[in-house]
Amino acid sequence: MWIENPVFREDLEQLAACEFIPWQDLEKKTVLITGATGLIGYMLTSALLYRNLKYNSGIQVAALVRDLERGRDKFSAQIAEGCGLILLEGSVEQLPEINGPINYIVHGAGPTASAYFVEKPVETITSVVMGTRNLLELGKTKRVSGFVYLSSMEVYGKVISKTAQAEKDLGYLDLFSPRSSYPESKRMAESLCCAYFEEYGVPATSARLAQTFGPGVAYEDERVFAYAARCALKGENICLHTSGTKENMYLYTADAVSAILLLLIRGERGTAYNAANPETYCSVKEMSELAAELGAGKVSVITNCGGGGGGGGAPPAPPPAGGGGGKNVYRADPAFSCGKFSS
């Protein structure tokens, strides 16, 4: 997917022209991106390359991929355009030798499937924590000007209150649950970012992303919003295993990329930001009902299909801090948004 997709191209156009992104600081710089073939990493990589294509910005993008052939296939159109992409084969656990300057790092690689967290909790923790440490060490060696770690709203754990939560208002996590391997390791990775900033001056910032959606979401994506959309498109009822009371926020992929680029240059170092659209805050059932509208009245939402009866699923993301929190980058007003991203 590249500029032949009209929706994706429109997003790239608006990102490339977005005035609050400090593009001038990225001109003729090299940006290392891990997780480049993932949903957010691909959008971020493409946005930087499209900026080159439109404005001749001279940004060099080094994309870390596990499989070089898969990477070449994924970015075949961008490579054909010759717009400044270098593919590096390796993993965050075993980084390849990286010669030459690296000015900025965006670390987005890591496990993302809930089933994997439960089945492989050791590998989840190892990948997240050791991978982040390896990238921070690289940032230290390369003396980068900015480092953004893509964290998750799951670090908040279980929050009972529905009032706005500041970045330090973390809730309960069950240490004895294998599923907690993901949010606990994300917390540790954020702590590592703070530690590397305080001890070594690595300019690291964490971005706690809400669930992201947009062009490029795989049809077989297991997240509930993708499942609901699939059912609606097929004209099938949406069956939730729980009561659907768990509440989440969502974030469009282009919004996520604009937040990441802003934090990469302007973010406060040694801290974390929420990145979400508060206007999307709703229960799983409400989100499913919205998706069901695509079924033209033929699709219903059925709850408690699997027993359970509670909110279920991953720990809920709390409402992000507002007002006095001061570090959130989720605002949906025209001064922040490039136009359509929060609509």
Side-chain angles (χ1 to χ4, degrees):
M1 181 177 61
W2 180 229
I3 55 179
E4 78 285 350
N5 182 301
V7 176
F8 195 65
R9 179 168 185 155
E10 182 182 359
D11 289 345
L12 295 177
E13 287 274 3
Q14 295 206 44
L15 280 167
C18 199
E19 294 184 356
F20 73 78
I21 296 175
W23 286 113
Q24 67 279 3
D25 292 78
L26 292 168
E27 290 185 357
K28 296 180 173 55
K29 298 296 193 299
T30 299
V31 183
L32 172 66
I33 299 173
T34 71
T37 58
L39 179 65
I40 300 172
Y42 183 79
M43 184 76 192
L44 174 61
T45 301
S46 296
L48 293 170
L49 297 177
Y50 190 76
R51 173 73 185 190
N52 284 344
L53 201 62
K54 289 285 290 186
Y55 297 97
N56 195 29
S57 295
I59 303 168
Q60 192 83 38
V61 181
L64 182 68
V65 296
R66 285 184 177 271
D67 186 313
L68 195 57
E69 287 306 312
R70 184 187 171 213
R72 286 171 179 161
D73 182 63
K74 183 88 171 179
F75 291 103
S76 58
Q78 292 90 331
I79 292 170
E81 294 277 3
C83 41
L85 176 64
I86 298 173
L87 295 179
L88 304 172
E89 187 172 30
S91 68
V92 294
E93 297 89 352
Q94 296 288 334
L95 287 176
E97 184 177 353
I98 301 176
N99 298 314
I102 297 291
N103 305 109
Y104 296 96
I105 295 175
V106 177
H107 176 31
T112 59
S114 291
Y116 185 87
F117 309 154
V118 175
E119 295 167 5
K120 301 286 187 179
V122 174
E123 289 80 0
T124 296
I125 293 169
T126 302
S127 177
V128 173
V129 177
M130 297 309 298
T132 302
R133 186 187 179 195
N134 289 341
L135 267 298
L136 287 164
E137 278 290 327
L138 180 65
K140 173 187 166 187
T141 300
K142 297 292 185 179
R143 298 182 180 274
V144 296
S145 299
F147 182 112
V148 169
Y149 172 62
L150 303 191
S151 188
S152 167
M153 288 287 187
E154 285 205 31
V155 299
Y156 283 101
K158 185 177 181 180
V159 178
I160 304 301
S161 172
K162 290 192 176 184
T163 59
Q165 304 293 306
E167 287 80 0
K168 294 184 178 180
D169 295 337
L170 302 183
Y172 171 76
L173 283 174
D174 181 2
L175 291 176
F176 304 107
S177 167
R179 178 59 178 77
S180 295
S181 59
Y182 180 70
E184 281 289 0
S185 59
K186 284 288 189 180
R187 285 183 177 183
M188 188 69 248
E190 284 193 18
S191 185
L192 270 173
C193 288
C194 296
Y196 267 79
F197 171 66
E198 293 294 339
E199 189 169 345
Y200 301 118
V202 177
T205 304
S206 295
R208 294 173 182 166
L209 303 180
Q211 288 196 41
T212 53
F213 68 96
V217 170
Y219 183 81
E220 64 277 7
D221 192 305
E222 295 180 353
R223 288 176 294 175
V224 68
F225 73 81
Y227 161 73
R230 253 193 329 270
C231 290
L233 291 172
K234 292 190 293 185
E236 299 176 353
N237 288 337
I238 300 168
C239 296
L240 303 177
H241 291 297
T242 68
S243 62
T245 56
K246 186 170 81 75
E247 294 172 318
N248 293 307
M249 281 180 296
Y250 302 90
L251 184 63
Y252 191 58
T253 45
D255 266 339
V257 167
S258 66
I260 291 164
L261 291 174
L262 179 63
L263 294 179
L264 191 61
I265 309 299
R266 300 280 186 260
E268 182 181 343
R269 306 314 186 187
T271 189
Y273 291 77
N274 297 319
N277 181 353
E279 293 183 1
T280 67
Y281 188 68
C282 64
S283 70
V284 169
K285 182 181 178 183
E286 290 169 331
M287 181 276 299
S288 299
E289 289 170 343
L290 183 63
E293 295 177 9
L294 296 171
K298 299 178 182 179
V299 175
S300 299
V301 177
I302 303 173
T303 59
N304 296 316
C305 293
K327 295 199 293 298
N328 301 288
V329 289
Y330 58 78
R331 295 187 300 277
D333 58 76
F336 180 79
S337 176
C338 291
K340 60 169 266 189
F341 299 163
S342 297
S343 60

